[in-house]
């Protein structure tokens, strides 16, 4: 990390570690999925393909992250349980919840066509996520019992509601009929009016789905005679059980006992309010500026696998910029964004009450939406390249008390951008000229900015100051008032003013940019 006078801004970062022995659970749920399911024509009350897509994403998460040993989901939500010894991301809540929701989103978008080959996205899906810090195995048991009970209650209600609607009732009439009804009354309604035995409906609809790893025989190779050679391997599998929080189910799986612990008693009365008290929430300080910074996860490898140009791939950067523009268009509370390489910082207004300033909600939905756009837009920028595996991002929220400190934060990121880009330009030119990576690092060790400039021009004929501004200064994204001509009733020309999201490659360290755009940070324009 580059040293600069702006690095003091790092002191505002606050760690949000979940301390042992608390058990980590990350719960994700769809953002406005009632509208999403309607707009994409999901079957009601349950769309089997949509549920199987969610299950496939959950399996992918368990296969990607060995620290996750169990998950449970229904409808548009999934909960992921980490083993009790997990040190994943140093147990930092924002990093964990953002990475899991990003990867889940990425798989959801990537796998969409497998389940809905004839349906195009009308708009990208996104998810929320939050961390539940379970103080004991008993709290985890209560949590799982609560989620499965919710699955049953919601599915029974939705089944009744949609059967009434399909048989001619309006939604309001159906809701009125079901108002105050108990479980038994709903079962009788389904059977007597529609001939449906609720208990005979598919288990996935009634019970939800759980995913965990068990030892299974897998073919690892074939011998000289063509016979398969099998080995026991831990593989994720999907299971449907009537009571996932019951002793008989849980204690019957050695992997769960080993990684999480034993359930000593069955759950009696479910206590949702008790469980909710373990939700880990960091409410951001009122009247402070909020920065959500996202970073590509393992993007060194991702860029190599997808053969990005070095040191800068213009198309990859334009893809990042396009996603950031979409974020500003989607979320009005974001007033400015700055990005370079595989990172982006989004600035929210100091008066913002976006998601009641709950860090987990803000971080997760921005990271998820950005990830979704990245996968959706991939073919637009790389029409000849297949996405070989789902990309993911992590994020964090930091509060800054004044617009001056926000400007220093952004200056720090731009200074860092310049230093890193100058180094990488020299490094990759040396590598392309025949040096090994170690030799290139040795050549650049201890060199100053002037020496790097001289190396580029003397050895490679490159004037660093003439390289594209996007490479040297990063990308700034903000709204600007644009005038638009329009004809009035008497055919005279009038000017309409509208906001447009712009991408600019400029110096945001100097005051001139902020003087020219005072509305970004709510500053008064100069007289």
């Amino acid at each position: 990390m580059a040293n600069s006078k702006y690095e003091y801004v790092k002191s505002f970062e606050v760690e949000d570690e979940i301390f042992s022995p608390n058990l980590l659970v990350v719960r994700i749920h769809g953002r406005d999925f009632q509208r999403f399911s309607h707009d994409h024509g999901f079957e009601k009350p349950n769309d089997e393909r949509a549920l199987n897509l969610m299950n496939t994403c959950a399996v992918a998460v368990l296969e990607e992250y060995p620290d996750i040993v169990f998950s449970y989901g229904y409808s548009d939500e999934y909960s992921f349980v980490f083993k009790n010894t997990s040190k994943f991301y140093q147990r930092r809540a924002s990093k964990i919840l953002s990475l899991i929701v990003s990867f889940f989103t990425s798989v959801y978008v990537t796998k969409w066509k497998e389940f809905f080959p004839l349906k195009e996205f009308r708009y990208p899906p996104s998810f929320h996520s939050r961390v539940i810090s379970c103080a004991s195995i008993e709290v985890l048991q209560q949590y799982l019992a609560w989620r499965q009970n919710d699955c049953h209650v919601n599915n029974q209600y939705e089944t009744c509601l949609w059967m009434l609607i399909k048989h001619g009732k309006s939604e309001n009439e159906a809701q009125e009929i079901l108002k105050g009804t108990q479980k038994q009354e709903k079962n009788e309604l389904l059977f007597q009016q529609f001939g449906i035995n609720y208990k005979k409906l598919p288990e996935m609809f009634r019970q939800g789905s759980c995913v965990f790893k068990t030892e299974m025989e897998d073919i690892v190779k074939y011998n000289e005679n063509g016979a398969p050679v099998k080995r026991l391997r831990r593989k994720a599998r999907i299971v449907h059980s009537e009571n996932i929080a019951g002793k008989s189910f849980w204690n019957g799986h050695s992997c769960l006992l080993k990684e999480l612990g034993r359930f000593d008693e069955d759950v009696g009365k479910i206590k949702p309010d008790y469980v909710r008290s373990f939700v880990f929430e960091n409410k951001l300080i009122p009247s402070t500026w909020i920065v959500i910074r996202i970073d590509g996860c393992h993007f060194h490898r991702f860029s190599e696998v997808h053969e990005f140009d070095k040191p800068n791939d213009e198309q990859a950067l334009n893809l990042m910029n396009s996603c950031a523009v979409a974020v500003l268009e989607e979320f009005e509370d974001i007033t400015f964004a700055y990005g370079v390489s595989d990172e982006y910082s989004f600035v929210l207004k100091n008066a913002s009450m976006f998601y009641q300033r709950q860090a987990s909600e803000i971080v997760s939905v921005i990271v998820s939406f950005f990830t979704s756009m990245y996968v959706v837009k991939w073919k637009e920028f790389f029409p000849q390249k297949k996405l070989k595996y789902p990309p993911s991002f992590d994020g964090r929220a930091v509060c800054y008390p004044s617009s001056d400190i926000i400007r220093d934060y952004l200056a720090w990121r731009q200074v860092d951008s310049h230093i890193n880009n100058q180094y990488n330009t020299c490094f990759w030119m040396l590598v392309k000229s025949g040096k090994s990576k170690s030799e290139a690092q040795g050549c650049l060790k201890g060199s100053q900015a002037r020496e790097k400039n001289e190396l580029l021009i003397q050895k490679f004929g490159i004037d660093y100051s003439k390289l594209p501004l996007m490479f040297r200064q990063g990308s700034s994204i903000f709204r600007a008032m644009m005038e638009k001509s329009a004809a009035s009733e008497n055919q005279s020309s009038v000017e309409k003013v509208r906001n447009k999201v712009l991408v600019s490659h400029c110096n945001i360290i100097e005051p001139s940019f902020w003087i020219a755009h005072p509305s970004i940070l709510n500053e008064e324009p100069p007289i």
Side-chain angles (χ1 to χ4, degrees):
M1 191 64 70
N3 291 316
S4 74
K5 68 178 183 179
Y6 303 110
E7 284 209 338
Y8 79 92
V9 298
K10 290 195 289 185
S11 65
F12 290 94
E13 296 177 4
V14 178
E15 294 300 336
D16 53 358
E17 181 181 350
I18 305 292
F19 293 103
S20 296
N22 291 297
L23 296 169
L24 283 166
V25 178
V26 173
R27 183 165 98 233
I28 72 165
H29 62 280
R31 172 177 167 253
D32 199 5
F33 251 55
Q34 188 171 359
R35 178 171 74 97
F36 182 85
S37 63
H38 174 269
D39 291 346
H40 290 85
F42 285 6
E43 293 179 13
K44 299 294 184 182
N46 292 287
D47 189 301
E48 190 170 357
R49 291 175 301 171
L51 294 175
N52 283 329
L53 172 55
M54 291 288 290
N55 291 344
T56 296
C57 296
V59 169
V61 170
L62 263 76
E63 290 174 342
E64 181 74 10
Y65 305 111
D67 276 28
I68 299 174
V69 294
F70 183 82
S71 65
Y72 172 76
Y74 73 95
S75 185
D76 64 339
E77 80 163 58
Y78 243 102
S79 297
F80 297 95
V81 184
F82 289 72
K83 64 183 180 181
N84 52 18
T85 58
S86 177
K87 298 294 182 185
F88 188 63
Y89 265 69
Q90 293 76 53
R91 298 175 68 91
R92 290 177 290 175
S94 60
K95 292 283 189 177
I96 295 170
L97 68 87
S98 59
L99 184 58
I100 300 304
V101 78
S102 176
F103 185 78
F104 190 99
T105 304
S106 193
V107 176
Y108 192 96
V109 178
T110 303
K111 296 280 188 181
W112 174 265
K113 278 293 184 182
E114 289 184 23
F115 294 87
F116 298 101
L118 301 179
K119 288 184 180 181
E120 299 293 337
F121 280 125
R122 294 186 63 182
Y123 49 84
S126 55
F127 297 82
H128 302 269
S129 65
R130 60 189 352 177
V131 169
I132 297 88
S133 175
C134 296
S136 65
I137 190 69
E138 289 77 21
V139 175
L140 174 62
Q141 185 181 20
Q142 271 279 345
Y143 173 82
L144 295 173
W146 170 43
R147 299 321 304 144
Q148 189 167 42
N149 184 65
D150 257 27
C151 168
H152 163 67
V153 171
N154 291 336
N155 184 68
Q156 189 186 44
Y157 179 89
E158 291 291 312
T159 302
C160 293
L161 178 76
W162 284 101
M163 289 307 299
L164 288 166
I165 291 172
K166 288 175 181 179
H167 283 77
K169 299 293 183 184
S170 70
E171 189 168 346
N172 286 337
E173 288 172 336
Q175 289 170 344
E176 193 61 33
I177 290 170
L178 295 173
K179 191 175 181 180
T181 55
Q182 301 302 308
K183 174 183 174 181
Q184 184 59 34
E185 294 170 302
K186 292 186 181 76
N187 282 342
E188 289 172 359
L189 182 151
L190 287 171
F191 189 75
Q192 292 170 7
Q193 289 201 35
F194 310 113
I196 294 174
N197 183 342
Y198 183 76
K199 291 183 179 180
K200 296 289 180 65
L201 292 178
E203 291 177 326
M204 180 168 63
F205 300 169
R206 294 181 291 109
Q207 300 170 356
S209 304
C210 51
V211 183
F212 55 95
K213 289 180 181 176
T214 57
E215 287 193 338
M216 302 172 66
E217 271 197 346
D218 193 24
I219 298 172
V220 294
K221 63 179 181 179
Y222 292 88
N223 62 24
E224 294 174 355
N225 300 322
V229 178
K230 298 181 179 180
R231 296 280 188 275
L232 281 176
R233 285 187 172 177
R234 284 169 59 85
K235 295 188 72 174
R237 68 183 181 117
I238 300 167
V239 174
H240 306 291
S241 173
E242 189 174 3
N243 185 7
I244 62 170
K247 288 192 305 179
S248 59
F249 171 79
W250 191 269
N251 296 344
H253 298 285
S254 59
C255 59
L256 301 180
L257 295 175
K258 179 182 176 182
E259 303 287 10
L260 290 165
R262 173 180 294 275
F263 289 169
D264 291 328
E265 303 288 341
D266 284 323
V267 175
K269 184 179 179 182
I270 296 171
K271 307 170 186 174
D273 290 337
Y274 170 71
V275 178
R276 287 191 193 100
S277 70
F278 293 94
V279 173
F280 184 87
E281 194 49 78
N282 176 18
K283 197 161 187 179
L284 300 171
I285 302 169
S287 301
T288 56
W289 295 85
I290 302 169
V291 172
I292 306 299
R293 188 164 115 213
I294 71 171
D295 292 276
C297 183
H298 304 308
F299 255 56
H300 284 295
R301 174 175 171 262
F302 184 85
S303 64
E304 287 180 3
V305 169
H306 292 90
E307 299 177 337
F308 285 2
D309 291 338
K310 300 292 186 181
N312 293 287
D313 189 300
E314 188 171 0
Q315 287 300 90
L317 294 174
N318 284 330
L319 171 55
M320 291 287 291
N321 292 343
S322 182
C323 296
V325 167
V327 170
L328 262 75
E329 290 174 339
E330 182 75 7
F331 306 113
E332 291 185 359
D333 281 46
I334 299 174
T335 187
F336 186 81
Y338 175 76
V340 59
S341 185
D342 64 341
E343 80 165 56
Y344 244 100
S345 296
F346 297 96
V347 180
L348 281 78
K349 306 168 188 175
N350 56 350
S352 172
M353 289 304 295
F354 191 49
Y355 286 110
Q356 292 72 53
R357 298 179 74 90
Q358 293 179 353
S360 63
E361 296 282 7
I362 299 171
V363 171
S364 63
V365 79
I366 291 175
V367 171
S368 178
F369 186 81
F370 189 97
T371 305
S372 194
M373 293 302 306
Y374 194 95
V375 179
V376 166
K377 286 177 171 283
W378 175 266
K379 277 294 181 185
E380 182 182 331
F381 292 88
F382 295 103
Q384 306 303 321
K385 285 185 181 179
K386 183 181 178 182
L387 195 58
K388 295 183 179 179
Y389 62 88
S392 57
F393 299 82
D394 63 58
R396 60 162 53 189
V398 185
C399 294
Y400 296 99
S402 70
S403 58
D404 286 341
I405 297 176
I406 276 288
R407 284 172 55 177
D408 282 353
Y409 168 83
L410 294 167
W412 169 50
R413 299 317 307 139
Q414 189 164 54
V415 167
D416 211 44
S417 163
H418 161 68
I419 293 174
N420 289 338
N421 185 67
Q422 188 187 44
Y423 179 93
N424 287 334
T425 302
C426 294
F427 175 83
W428 285 105
M429 289 309 299
L430 288 167
V431 170
K432 289 175 181 179
S433 71
K435 300 280 188 188
S436 69
K437 290 182 179 180
S438 296
E439 289 171 336
Q441 288 169 344
C443 290
L444 296 172
K445 189 174 182 180
S447 60
Q448 302 301 309
R450 181 178 55 80
E451 295 168 306
K452 292 186 182 76
N453 283 339
E454 289 174 355
L455 182 149
L456 287 172
I457 201 159
Q458 290 172 8
K459 290 199 72 168
F460 307 110
I462 295 173
D463 183 347
Y464 184 77
S465 65
K466 299 287 178 65
L467 292 178
L469 284 171
M470 180 167 63
F471 299 170
R472 295 184 288 115
Q473 296 185 338
S475 300
S476 298
I477 299 180
F478 52 93
R479 296 179 187 87
M481 303 301 287
M482 306 292 289
E483 291 186 347
K484 183 180 179 182
S485 297
S488 66
E489 291 180 5
N490 59 11
Q491 301 301 310
S492 61
S493 180
V494 295
E495 297 296 321
K496 286 190 174 181
V497 178
R498 64 187 179 92
N499 263 327
K500 185 177 181 182
V501 178
L502 301 178
V503 180
S504 179
H505 312 296
C506 53
N507 186 333
I508 59 173
I509 299 173
E510 298 299 325
S512 56
F513 173 82
W514 303 103
I515 292 170
H517 302 93
S519 62
I520 293 174
L521 299 180
N522 297 334
E523 295 174 332
E524 293 296 323
I527 299 172

